Amino acid sequence: MKILFVDDEEVIRDLFQEIFGSEYELVLAGTAEQGLSLAESETFDLIITDIRLPRMNGIEFITKLREKGVDTPFIVITGNQDIQISINALRLGAVDFFLKPFRMEAIRYSLLRFKNLFYAGKDLVDKRMFQVRESRQKFALLPRLGNLNQYVHLILKSLAHLPNLHNEDQLSLKVALYELIGNAIEHGCAHINYHQKQELMFQENDYFSYVDKICESKEEWIQVEVDYDDTRVTVILEDGGDGFDPARVPDPVQDPNASQLSGRGIFLVRMNVDSLSYNDKGNQVTFVKKLQKVEVKPV
């Protein structure tokens, strides 16, 4: 995966290179202007940028990229005093954010989740791990974190023909599906709560494999129903877990330091969809994403 990392502090760039340089193809930039030039001339799978940059800040940087038609997913790095700015970044399509001082383990976890973003996932269909149950777009997914990116790809592929599905809509749907399917696997099937997840992230060398081993011992499926027309996409996702109370999940706006690794998922989804609701038990979630209207230009 090719990543553009933009930060004006040389020590931070060097540290990022030292930690992740052997795992990913990294390109480093010290200014937004340099990052803008690189993003226009090269193709990246992900952009990570600090909010506070000289001359042109991170929001202006991403805004200019979007104006130029560059829709690469991005992560923002911010301080507590800039949390409102980070919310604006999420509205531009940020897939995650990190508060300074951040832990490199938090970034490592986020990068792992998106590592296989562009894999086709055909092998999962052949192995019947991803099944189309009805012509109404009902899917069944074996709970495997290792397949998460490919599951999302396959679901979005079923929507690819929608005329009103713009790049911004696809990115929002990706973020929502990643977070919610990931939650269904970790918390619904594996029964790992947020506190346990934080501890396991630092204890286990391969957290993904640890979760998948738990899920392999159970005969459970995650049900995903996708309903759409030319105005909106509705997704209903249900797991076989005990459910949870979404109101108890930390809100990063109210408590920015509540969690570095967990608790941001529901917040990220809410920022990317038009409505989000849970059943009383908390093991079924429904979200709606409204689609932009296609402008028909006169001939």
Side-chain angles (χ1 to χ4, degrees):
M1 185 165 70
K2 188 174 181 180
I3 301 171
L4 172 61
F5 183 79
V6 185
D7 196 297
D8 63 326
E9 297 185 51
E10 184 177 2
V11 64
I12 298 296
R13 297 198 303 272
D14 290 345
L15 180 62
F16 195 86
Q17 176 68 49
E18 179 181 349
I19 294 177
F20 298 111
S22 61
E23 301 176 48
Y24 302 99
E25 181 181 355
L26 301 182
V27 177
L28 308 178
T31 65
E33 291 84 354
Q34 184 182 4
L36 188 62
S37 176
L38 288 166
E40 287 185 272
S41 60
E42 301 181 41
T43 300
F44 294 94
D45 299 314
L46 180 67
I47 296 173
I48 302 176
T49 180
D50 196 351
I51 286 291
R52 289 183 175 269
L53 295 170
R55 294 184 298 277
M56 183 193 307
N57 65 36
I59 296 296
E60 294 170 329
F61 166 50
I62 296 299
T63 300
K64 286 185 179 295
L65 283 180
R66 294 297 185 255
E67 290 173 351
K68 293 177 180 294
V70 179
D71 57 1
T72 306
F74 67 97
I75 293 173
V76 294
I77 301 172
T78 182
N80 288 351
Q81 69 275 19
D82 297 321
I83 189 66
Q84 186 59 49
I85 299 177
S86 299
I87 292 175
N88 295 334
L90 290 171
R91 293 194 175 103
L92 286 174
V95 296
D96 208 342
F97 67 95
F98 295 101
L99 293 168
K100 289 184 175 180
F102 55 85
R103 294 175 176 173
M104 283 296 177
E105 291 87 350
I107 293 184
R108 184 186 302 279
Y109 175 68
S110 184
L111 294 180
L112 284 173
R113 294 193 66 178
F114 292 93
K115 186 175 182 180
N116 299 319
L117 182 60
F118 301 104
Y119 285 10
K122 182 178 181 299
D123 60 324
L124 298 184
V125 177
D126 295 338
K127 295 174 183 177
R128 299 184 63 79
M129 298 181 76
F130 182 98
Q131 301 176 9
V132 179
R133 291 289 175 88
E134 294 182 15
S135 59
R136 294 188 61 230
Q137 300 296 318
K138 286 190 175 182
F139 308 108
L141 289 62
L142 276 174
R144 303 289 187 271
L145 276 183
N147 297 342
L148 178 57
N149 300 304
Q150 299 177 67
Y151 286 154
V152 173
H153 176 91
L154 288 165
I155 293 172
L156 289 178
K157 189 176 180 180
S158 70
L159 305 174
H161 67 283
L162 288 177
N164 288 7
L165 193 65
H166 296 261
N167 288 334
E168 294 86 354
D169 298 323
Q170 293 188 52
L171 183 57
S172 294
L173 288 169
K174 280 182 182 179
V175 172
L177 288 168
Y178 269 110
E179 294 296 338
L180 296 177
I181 295 175
N183 283 345
I185 295 172
E186 295 173 275
H187 309 307
C189 179
H191 299 285
I192 296 173
N193 62 38
Y194 288 102
H195 178 71
Q196 291 171 329
K197 177 179 176 179
Q198 283 193 304
E199 293 182 345
L200 289 169
M201 284 295 298
F202 296 105
Q203 293 174 1
E204 297 294 329
N205 293 328
D206 191 343
Y207 174 74
F208 280 27
S209 296
Y210 178 86
V211 173
D212 285 354
K213 285 181 180 179
I214 296 176
C215 294
E216 286 170 6
S217 64
K218 305 176 181 180
E219 296 183 1
E220 295 183 9
W221 290 80
I222 296 170
Q223 308 296 329
V224 181
E225 180 176 343
V226 181
D227 184 23
Y228 56 83
D229 57 27
D230 61 350
T231 63
R232 52 99 185 109
V233 175
T234 301
V235 177
I236 303 174
L237 191 148
E238 183 174 352
D239 62 69
D242 298 328
F244 78 116
D245 181 3
R248 298 183 63 183
V249 177
D251 185 337
V253 176
Q254 301 298 325
D255 187 1
N257 293 314
S259 172
Q260 286 282 353
L261 293 176
S262 303
R264 298 193 310 269
I266 295 177
F267 177 73
L268 287 169
V269 174
R270 289 192 188 280
M271 295 303 302
N272 280 279
V273 302
D274 294 284
S275 68
L276 178 73
S277 60
Y278 287 83
N279 64 354
D280 292 339
K281 185 177 179 180
N283 70 329
Q284 183 189 86
V285 58
T286 300
F287 72 82
V288 176
K289 176 64 181 177
K290 296 179 181 178
L291 302 180
Q292 304 175 39
K293 292 183 179 180
V294 174
E295 296 184 5
V296 180
K297 296 182 180 180
V299 180

